[in-house]
Amino acid sequence: MSLIIGRPHISLKNLNVYYGHLQVLKNITLDIPDRQITVIIGPSGCGKTTLLKTLNRLLDSVEGVRVEGRVLVDGEDIYSPGVEVTRIRKKMGLLSQRPQVLPMSIYDNVAYGPRIHGLKNKQQLDQIVERYLRIAGLWDEVKDRLSEPASRLSLGQQQRLCLARGLAVEPEIILGDEPTSALDPQSSQNVEKCLLSLKSQYTVLLVTHILRQARRIADYIVFLYLGEIVEHGPAQEVLNNPRDPRTKAYLSGEIS
Amino acid sequence: MTNYLWRLRKEIWASKFMGLSSSLPVFLILLMLLGLFLKAKPLFVLKPLSQIIFSSHWLPLKGHFGLWPFIMGTLWVTLLALFIAAPISLFVAIFLSEYAPSGIREIARPMIDLLAGLPSVIYGVWGVLIIVPFVGRYLAPLFGTYSSGYSVLAGGLVLAVMILPTIIHVILEIFRAIPQAVREASLSLGATKWETIKHVLLRQAAPGILAALVLGLSRALGETMAVLMVVGNVVQVPRSLFDGAYPLPALIANNYGEMMSIPLYDSALMLAAAILLVLVIIFNLIARLILLRVEKGLR
């Protein structure tokens, strides 16, 4: 049963994820709509981050993890053998909880991805760096100090730099793992604004525990509880008329 | 109020006492240097310091105490050991921290730490039994020269093996301190593991790796027993890896207490010790300078 309108960008089919004997995700079947902001909400420890990391196969580097079921991106099963993992990851930009700038200059942070994928032309790199720093709303703040270490930026600026860095490899999907949780309200707002402006070209999948944030930017909501999807649907429906009593309880603050 | 004064007084005492304790290491180094130079002073009456250091003329019975062969012996053996140990320890640490499954890591870690704690005489015996014949019988003919096996190369090899575990241990800790999220940031951009290590982890860990290498170097400079058992203890400035050498610590350990009837011999040994101490300090300073430059590029 698909509740979304239009073509799904990512489809999860009977996804189970185990850490050793512990089952973290239980039989997840879900379609994530193309070019909308999908927000996954749920109390901490419910499997939100695991779900996100399943999508770009970052779970691969965790020992003792077992993934069952299918994850289709653009119709391709990313867990089928022979899939090029780096190509899958290149399709998705990741924003982590705390901004993780790489130990290099602001310029090199953005140029890192394109360089890894073989771009050497200085002029093209210059263009890419400027273009994505502008999209992330950071260009005017950093254009005169591109060669400074990225770690000198404020946390809010760092997170926008991470966004620019992720966009520079030209992904189709943006994954955000509570990307504003370490930021002050002003910086959070900047990041949210960026995400809203990006949804016309990118599929955005965001994990958050801030309900107000979900209300502000979500088109589609998924409520995850104890590793199961309890309810999902268009944001207004789920947020205003939740059908499941657990969703009601979470939205009213009784489960957290 | 009186309670507050009492607490304040304790606070002051505590800080003073700890401050005093922390100044102890600094004082000790200065005191050692001073003591060694005072003991070596009678030697300077004969010749200026620079002539003693840069002269290769070692004839204690005639009053010639040129220390240059010993200084060069120390530098050859130590730097060779570092050149051998640095890349190997880096590879081992990277493998164990980034590639090895946790089972292998958990076995390897305590074994490496055990190696770091072995008495150096064991390394010495192993060097004499295995490394020295190996160098003399196989390596030297391979390079078309003759060597007894007791050589700079044997010393460097044994020393490299001795400092490996220390360096590996420190580099492993440094890699462990890098948050997983940094690796994920690079991987999520489509970088491979190796690209992530090369461009991100090594950069992030650079200051720490340097510190680990200096720790190894300092240990190598001062290592006495194992080295003196395999380098041959020949008074000469080595010209090739297959030549024998006579590092400073070996000179001091071999002769202290025995040759004291020769006039000024004890002063010469004290000077040798002082030079060794200065070498350690110089290497540490150089490392610190490099560290400053590296960190400037990162933060």
Side-chain angles (χ1 to χ4, degrees):
Chain A
M1 172 191 69
S2 182
L3 297 171
I4 68 168
I5 306 153
R7 169 181 85 95
H9 198 163
I10 304 172
S11 293
L12 308 174
K13 295 204 188 325
N14 306 105
L15 180 73
N16 290 296
V17 175
Y18 306 83
Y19 288 149
H21 293 293
L22 183 74
Q23 188 170 5
V24 189
L25 291 179
K26 294 167 193 163
N27 204 28
I28 305 275
T29 295
L30 177 69
D31 286 336
I32 291 163
D34 190 25
R35 280 174 238 190
Q36 290 188 24
I37 297 183
T38 300
V39 173
I40 305 174
I41 55 172
S44 46
C46 70
K48 300 188 298 268
T49 301
T50 303
L51 181 58
L52 218 54
K53 287 187 178 174
T54 312
L55 295 182
N56 65 357
R57 291 194 54 174
L58 269 183
L59 274 191
D60 291 12
S61 52
V62 184
E63 257 176 81
V65 167
R66 196 154 46 91
V67 178
E68 284 171 1
R70 301 210 296 159
V71 179
L72 304 176
V73 177
D74 295 322
E76 178 193 17
D77 186 353
I78 63 166
Y79 278 91
S80 73
V83 160
E84 225 181 300
V85 182
T86 52
R87 187 173 53 79
I88 297 297
R89 290 193 183 136
K90 190 172 168 290
K91 277 189 176 181
M92 307 177 205
L94 175 73
L95 281 178
S96 53
Q97 290 190 15
R98 292 186 61 83
Q100 293 294 343
V101 297
L102 302 174
M104 45 187 86
S105 70
I106 296 170
Y107 182 98
D108 288 341
N109 259 276
V110 185
Y112 180 78
R115 277 182 181 147
I116 288 279
H117 297 291
L119 187 61
K120 291 202 182 84
N121 186 312
K122 173 88 174 93
Q123 241 176 341
Q124 274 173 290
L125 283 172
D126 286 351
Q127 280 171 4
I128 288 177
V129 169
E130 177 173 348
R131 176 147 162 241
Y132 290 105
L133 282 174
R134 276 189 196 283
I135 292 178
L138 196 61
W139 175 253
D140 291 329
E141 292 161 60
V142 301
K143 64 177 177 225
D144 299 321
R145 45 182 190 139
L146 289 173
S147 58
E148 271 184 33
S151 51
R152 287 206 198 131
L153 297 173
S154 74
L155 273 186
Q157 290 172 322
Q158 286 186 20
Q159 192 63 299
R160 277 179 288 151
L161 178 65
C162 291
L163 184 63
R165 183 183 66 194
L167 294 177
V169 296
E170 292 170 350
E172 303 162 6
I173 300 161
I174 298 168
L175 306 173
D177 185 4
E178 303 185 13
T180 61
S181 64
L183 307 183
D184 60 275
Q186 183 60 47
S187 302
S188 303
Q189 214 188 340
N190 284 339
V191 171
E192 281 179 22
K193 252 196 292 186
C194 278
L195 292 175
L196 278 172
S197 71
L198 288 170
K199 73 171 175 180
S200 58
Q201 295 162 58
Y202 301 90
T203 298
V204 179
L205 184 61
L206 200 70
V207 158
T208 188
H209 63 269
I210 310 167
L211 272 175
R212 272 170 303 151
Q213 187 170 55
R215 280 184 203 283
R216 280 195 297 265
I217 63 175
D219 298 311
Y220 198 80
I221 292 262
V222 179
F223 175 51
L224 204 60
Y225 186 62
L226 300 175
E228 282 177 86
I229 291 184
V230 172
E231 190 166 347
H232 63 108
Q236 297 311 319
E237 267 177 46
V238 176
L239 292 172
N240 298 332
N241 302 306
R243 268 168 293 173
D244 195 283
R246 288 170 294 181
T247 318
K248 268 182 205 147
Y250 181 71
L251 291 175
S252 62
E254 284 161 43
I255 325 174
S256 61
Chain B
M1 195 57 202
T2 49
N3 185 32
Y4 171 68
L5 280 178
W6 177 234
R7 286 173 64 199
L8 195 66
R9 202 169 294 165
K10 275 203 279 191
E11 176 74 24
I12 292 167
W13 284 344
S15 77
K16 286 235 162 92
F17 176 71
M18 287 177 207
L20 209 64
S21 312
S22 342
S23 61
L24 206 62
V26 182
F27 272 117
L28 272 179
I29 288 183
L30 290 178
L31 218 61
M32 277 181 195
L33 265 180
L34 187 71
L36 290 172
F37 269 107
L38 284 180
K39 279 276 194 183
K41 218 176 144 200
L43 209 59
F44 306 152
V45 181
L46 252 63
K47 273 179 201 158
L49 179 62
S50 63
Q51 263 188 42
I52 304 169
I53 290 180
F54 293 111
S55 155
S56 302
H57 211 40
W58 179 260
L59 278 173
L61 282 170
K62 296 199 173 154
H64 296 302
F65 293 101
L67 289 175
W68 191 239
F70 305 98
I71 295 171
M72 286 313 281
T74 296
L75 291 178
W76 270 75
V77 174
T78 309
L79 293 178
L80 177 65
L82 192 69
F83 275 121
I84 300 171
I88 297 178
S89 52
L90 203 54
F91 295 152
V92 172
I94 288 174
F95 173 74
L96 285 180
S97 124
E98 305 301 318
Y99 288 102
S102 63
I104 290 182
R105 185 163 51 233
E106 291 324 308
I107 296 170
R109 207 186 266 271
M111 279 173 65
I112 287 165
D113 291 349
L114 184 72
L115 278 179
L118 283 190
S120 64
V121 70
I122 293 180
Y123 285 100
V125 170
W126 168 77
V128 170
L129 290 180
I130 312 244
I131 297 297
V132 169
F134 175 69
V135 170
R137 255 178 248 157
Y138 302 104
L139 279 184
L142 202 67
F143 286 88
T145 54
Y146 168 78
S147 170
S148 65
Y150 291 94
S151 57
V152 170
L153 186 54
L157 283 170
V158 170
L159 205 47
V161 174
M162 290 183 71
I163 61 175
L164 265 175
T166 316
I167 302 178
I168 293 172
H169 178 99
V170 178
I171 298 181
L172 270 179
E173 290 302 317
I174 286 154
F175 273 99
R176 198 151 68 155
I178 298 176
Q180 195 58 31
V182 173
R183 296 178 178 85
E184 289 179 355
S186 170
L187 291 174
S188 73
L189 293 167
T192 60
K193 224 169 190 177
W194 170 241
E195 286 161 347
T196 300
I197 291 166
K198 197 169 95 186
H199 299 300
V200 178
L201 298 187
L202 283 180
R203 259 165 190 260
Q204 185 112 344
I209 291 171
L210 202 65
L213 292 180
V214 172
L215 192 72
L217 187 74
S218 302
R219 180 157 182 216
L221 272 173
E223 179 50 48
T224 312
M225 200 55 191
V227 179
L228 76 81
M229 288 168 79
V230 298
V231 286
N233 301 333
V234 195
V235 185
Q236 62 179 16
V237 176
R239 290 226 187 82
S240 91
L241 293 179
F242 296 103
D243 282 350
Y246 207 157
L248 288 163
L251 169 74
I252 302 166
N254 275 342
N255 299 298
Y256 194 83
E258 279 185 23
M259 302 298 204
M260 292 312 182
S261 53
I262 301 173
L264 289 179
Y265 205 112
D266 62 330
S267 292
L269 292 186
M270 289 307 145
L271 185 61
I275 290 170
L276 192 61
L277 190 53
V278 170
L279 279 179
V280 173
I281 293 171
I282 287 176
F283 278 120
N284 271 286
L285 283 179
I286 292 174
R288 203 129 300 235
L289 284 177
I290 302 174
L291 212 65
L292 273 180
R293 292 198 60 160
V294 171
E295 282 183 342
K296 230 169 115 187
L298 289 178
R299 347 212 117 80

